[in-house]
Amino acid sequence: MNMVEHFRTSKSPFKATYGNFIGGKWVPAQSGKTFDNTSPITGEVICKIARSEAADIEAALDAAHAAKTAWGNSSVATRAVILNKIADVMEQNLGLLALAETWDNGKPIRETTHADLPLAIDHFRYFAGAIRAQEGSLSEIDHDTVAYHFHEPLGVVGQIIPWNFPLLMAVWKLAPALAAGNCVVLKPAEQTPASILVFAELVADLLPPGVLNIVNGFGLEAGKPLASSNRIAKIAFTGETTTGRLIMQYASQNLIPVTLELGGKSPNIFFKDVCAEDDDYFDKAIEGFVMFALNQGEVCTCPSRALIHESIYDQFMEKALKRVAAITAGDPLDPTTMIGAQASSEQLEKILSYMDIGRQEGAQVLAGGARREMQGGLAGGFYMQPTVFKGNNKMRVFQEEIFGPVVSVTTFKDDDEALSIANDTLYGLGAGVWSRSANTCYRFGRAVQAGRVWTNCYHAYPAHAAFGGYKQSGIGRENHKMMLDHYQQTKNMLVSYSPKKLGFF
Amino acid sequence: MTEVLDKVTATPAALQLLAEIVADHGPVMFHQSGGCCDGSSPMCYPQGDFLLGDRDVKLGEIGGMPFYISGSQFELWKHTDLIIDVVKGRGGMFSLDNGREQRFLTRSEVCAI
């Protein structure tokens, strides 16, 4: 059989070299340095990227500060039109952006085409609408005294973007910041620095120079100077807990606010009545279980702990493991591929280290458990078998975010035990609740300590549904108009309309 | 008095990378991360750069440099000893291994508590 080698026919869309996008211009790093960007698909170099340092961050901050007054004073209608135009241009170039994202990150083209990009496009439209509809308030303190509340932009903000959804996570942060009238200095992850530059090329002419600045480089050399700068009014970060603490530490030195999204270990809870009938709903619940493999498990809300009522365990898992076995794994550029490459070699190494610890702890491997060996040009890529562990919630594979296509399964005997296991975690970002009983869903949805409880669904990320964490999963809520508050000051004007003095002096 | 723990070791490759980093930056400290993206990575900073909290736990030392974990994460990880290794890679955010095309990686071994 002749296999179509999509990674050969769908060429990488990147230029040979990219500079930084600062003040509306493309400029090399001031040191002249670059670094090689490798694709997780083949492990080979696909382009060179500016390796920036503090001086480049300063140049981007200069450009942003020069632009902030005009942008902050522009009308919401003007900003909304621009955000809508950005969305239109992205839509017209959806294929290109999806291809760039897949080459940069390794995720399947099916997902970038049908999930990442459509969601990113809609996000700009959502915040274009939200900013038009936002209203200040007035409070009548007494008949002659009125408190007006105006929304004002913060000014210049810093954003540090993760590598798991390079475009979508950038847009989750950019759209509300720009809508609210801020100028942005954005530092992409060094594992996935390129797709956002294709985006920037497309939208460069739509934004006034300096409103959006993208500086690439390594975390230590470029991310740290941005996060610790006293010229930003806010820092937004998605990543892990130790760096989250460090970012708060820097922010405390500058007395600026932070928003943090730091991951999770999300429980996906399947109650007894899931299996009451062999119908569409049961089928949907099985798909909900297999969602651990979406985006190769590199999702902060990966449903990486499955809690299954003990009375349905055998029936449920028989179907679930068949569905896991049916996952089409392979060339991320093949439109039928469901699971692609992990984003980096070190990420694959970390996942494999958890295969080792899971086995040592006595977890049973029900599926997968090893690297996925690929042939030909894909042999150098970073591929992992979808893996199902069975064990108990005290094991590290139940307690730490592996960030791979790995789910750890356990059973519960009653509702109390289900809730106790679900909440026995340091994190509280996502959760899934599956039951045919509205009361069970409601009760559990309210009791689970997580910012997002998917109820009879999983991994949906529509704009206008707030997303963020409880406990150590972070601070703030993205994906909703309430995110505007995280990018705005409140100006209160307290006005007296009385001509009479108080009489104190 | 706080119990002195000895729950972390390093491979020769990790000690080699650590020696290079110390030569460039002076004394360092480690803090074991958790959570998404680069979670589970041992982060390496110049000593004093990362503000330790009252509840951070010192797991031991590697190459004479102190290694910490948050108290809450320690409770969940204490049944494992950590072995710090090195792999190819380039993440690590603000960690001093960043940009060297090598990364520290935490491996683990189940131990008696």
Side-chain angles (χ1 to χ4, degrees):
Chain A
M1 188 175 123
N2 288 323
M3 297 284 289
V4 179
E5 291 186 310
H6 292 270
F7 73 96
R8 293 193 196 284
T9 54
S10 301
K11 293 285 186 204
S12 153
F14 300 116
K15 290 180 181 168
T17 306
Y18 286 92
N20 292 319
F21 183 64
I22 296 176
K25 295 192 171 65
W26 293 93
V27 291
Q30 293 184 20
S31 67
K33 288 187 202 164
T34 60
F35 66 95
D36 289 339
N37 181 31
T38 53
S39 174
I41 297 177
T42 58
E44 290 170 5
V45 177
I46 45 174
C47 56
K48 287 186 180 298
I49 301 285
R51 181 168 174 170
S52 311
E53 294 168 358
D56 303 295
I57 293 290
E58 287 303 320
L61 287 166
D62 289 343
H65 278 279
K68 73 175 181 182
T69 304
W71 182 246
N73 287 337
S74 64
S75 71
V76 291
T78 300
R79 298 201 296 265
V81 165
I82 291 175
L83 295 192
N84 277 320
K85 283 183 181 168
I86 291 173
D88 291 346
V89 168
M90 290 179 77
E91 196 162 60
Q92 287 151 16
N93 293 277
L94 193 151
L96 169 67
L97 290 165
L99 187 66
E101 190 75 326
T102 288
W103 271 103
D104 211 11
N105 167 278
K107 66 176 74 191
I109 193 82
R110 185 180 82 144
E111 277 175 34
T112 51
T113 304
H114 299 291
D116 299 48
L117 265 301
L119 286 168
I121 292 163
D122 184 58
H123 216 67
F124 277 114
R125 292 185 174 138
Y126 173 71
F127 276 103
I131 197 67
R132 288 297 301 271
Q134 189 183 37
E135 290 183 345
S137 69
L138 71 81
S139 313
E140 187 176 325
I141 307 298
D142 60 43
H143 190 66
D144 283 331
T145 313
V146 180
Y148 297 95
H149 297 103
F150 298 91
H151 299 291
E152 294 183 356
L154 294 177
V156 174
V157 299
Q159 301 182 332
I160 297 181
I161 310 301
W163 45 259
N164 60 339
F165 291 86
L167 278 174
L168 184 60
M169 291 302 101
V171 171
W172 275 22
K173 289 179 171 40
L174 276 178
L178 297 176
N182 298 282
C183 294
V184 176
V185 177
L186 182 140
K187 159 65 177 79
E190 53 266 50
Q191 295 92 334
T192 54
S195 57
I196 190 76
L197 303 177
V198 176
F199 161 84
E201 284 182 325
L202 292 171
V203 306
D205 294 341
L206 299 176
L207 286 162
V211 170
L212 167 63
N213 305 277
I214 302 172
V215 183
N216 263 308
F218 292 139
L220 183 62
E221 295 167 351
K224 186 175 174 180
L226 176 61
S228 56
S229 172
N230 62 0
R231 300 176 71 200
I232 53 172
K234 179 236 167 73
I235 182 82
F237 170 68
T238 295
E240 34 61 56
T241 56
T242 294
T243 306
R245 277 175 62 173
L246 203 48
I247 286 196
M248 287 191 86
Q249 184 186 314
Y250 296 145
S252 78
Q253 289 160 6
N254 294 318
L255 293 171
I256 58 168
V258 297
T259 43
L260 299 173
E261 202 271 81
L262 303 178
K265 193 68 188 175
S266 303
N268 206 6
I269 311 163
F270 298 90
F271 289 94
K272 187 160 56 176
D273 60 4
V274 165
C275 293
E277 288 182 59
D278 192 1
D279 55 359
D280 280 353
Y281 175 79
F282 185 20
D283 189 53
K284 182 185 183 190
I286 295 292
E287 183 189 49
F289 171 91
V290 184
M291 282 292 182
F292 75 88
L294 189 87
N295 205 48
Q296 297 71 244
E298 292 170 350
V299 193
C300 299
T301 37
C302 173
S304 55
R305 293 187 296 149
L307 281 48
I308 299 168
H309 191 275
E310 59 183 13
S311 70
I312 62 166
Y313 177 80
D314 291 337
Q315 186 187 356
F316 185 93
M317 287 307 291
E318 188 194 346
K319 267 192 186 257
L321 290 173
K322 277 186 189 155
R323 196 70 64 88
V324 171
I327 293 174
T328 312
D331 182 350
L333 293 160
D334 181 337
T336 65
T337 292
M338 300 176 191
I339 184 169
Q342 308 304 139
S344 66
S345 60
E346 69 200 79
Q347 183 56 25
L348 178 61
E349 289 281 356
K350 183 177 89 181
I351 297 164
L352 292 173
S353 79
Y354 274 103
M355 298 297 106
D356 176 44
I357 186 75
R359 286 187 172 97
Q360 282 190 56
E361 287 180 303
Q364 204 183 336
V365 180
L366 303 181
R371 181 176 187 161
R372 184 152 49 87
E373 301 297 340
M374 304 292 283
Q375 303 301 316
L378 301 177
F382 317 132
Y383 296 88
M384 180 69 204
Q385 297 174 2
T387 296
V388 182
F389 279 123
K390 187 184 182 201
N392 69 68
N393 199 54
K394 294 298 176 197
M395 294 175 172
R396 278 193 39 202
V397 289
F398 281 81
Q399 288 294 343
E400 196 50 56
E401 188 165 358
I402 299 171
F403 227 54
V406 183
V407 61
S408 301
V409 183
T410 194
T411 57
F412 61 89
K413 60 180 184 302
D414 57 29
D415 291 1
D416 286 348
E417 190 182 22
L419 188 62
S420 155
I421 295 171
N423 285 336
D424 179 15
T425 170
L426 299 179
Y427 305 101
L429 192 57
V433 172
W434 296 84
S435 170
R436 297 170 193 263
S437 156
N439 287 345
T440 301
C441 287
Y442 180 76
R443 213 165 47 248
F444 265 77
R446 296 303 302 270
V448 172
Q449 292 177 309
R452 160 70 60 82
V453 183
W454 279 284
T455 307
N456 290 324
C457 59
Y458 208 96
H459 268 339
Y461 298 91
H464 208 34
F467 181 88
Y470 282 30
K471 302 199 280 190
Q472 292 187 24
S473 289
I475 300 169
R477 292 293 180 272
E478 303 191 275
N479 221 2
H480 189 270
K481 64 182 181 182
M482 67 180 72
M483 191 61 178
L484 289 172
D485 292 342
H486 293 296
Y487 282 104
Q488 289 174 322
Q489 283 285 11
T490 299
K491 166 66 58 65
N492 167 236
M493 281 184 66
L494 185 57
V495 181
S496 172
Y497 291 100
S498 167
K500 301 291 185 190
K501 67 183 176 188
L502 283 175
F504 274 15
F505 296 105
Chain B
M1 188 183 138
T2 318
E3 186 194 358
V4 176
L5 299 173
D6 183 17
K7 292 182 67 63
V8 57
T9 55
T11 63
L15 290 173
Q16 172 67 36
L17 178 59
L18 176 55
E20 290 168 18
I21 289 171
V22 171
D24 288 351
H25 295 278
V28 300
M29 60 180 290
F30 287 86
H31 195 274
Q32 174 63 48
S33 193
C36 94
C37 305
D38 288 338
S40 304
S41 295
M43 298 300 186
C44 177
Y45 303 119
Q47 273 184 24
D49 217 43
F50 180 88
L51 187 63
L52 287 168
D54 294 343
R55 277 163 292 281
D56 284 306
V57 174
K58 186 179 172 187
L59 287 178
E61 294 187 352
I62 56 173
M65 303 297 151
F67 194 109
Y68 299 90
I69 188 170
S70 78
S72 54
Q73 202 168 334
F74 174 72
E75 286 304 311
L76 299 167
W77 285 39
K78 64 185 175 188
H79 64 287
T80 54
D81 285 347
L82 307 186
I83 304 143
I84 306 309
D85 197 2
V86 168
V87 295
K88 270 176 59 183
R90 71 153 52 125
M93 301 303 301
F94 309 158
S95 181
L96 294 173
D97 50 352
N98 180 256
R100 291 169 181 265
E101 299 301 308
Q102 292 186 89
R103 288 292 316 281
F104 292 115
L105 175 82
T106 301
R107 301 191 191 280
S108 308
E109 200 166 58
V110 172
C111 62
I113 297 175

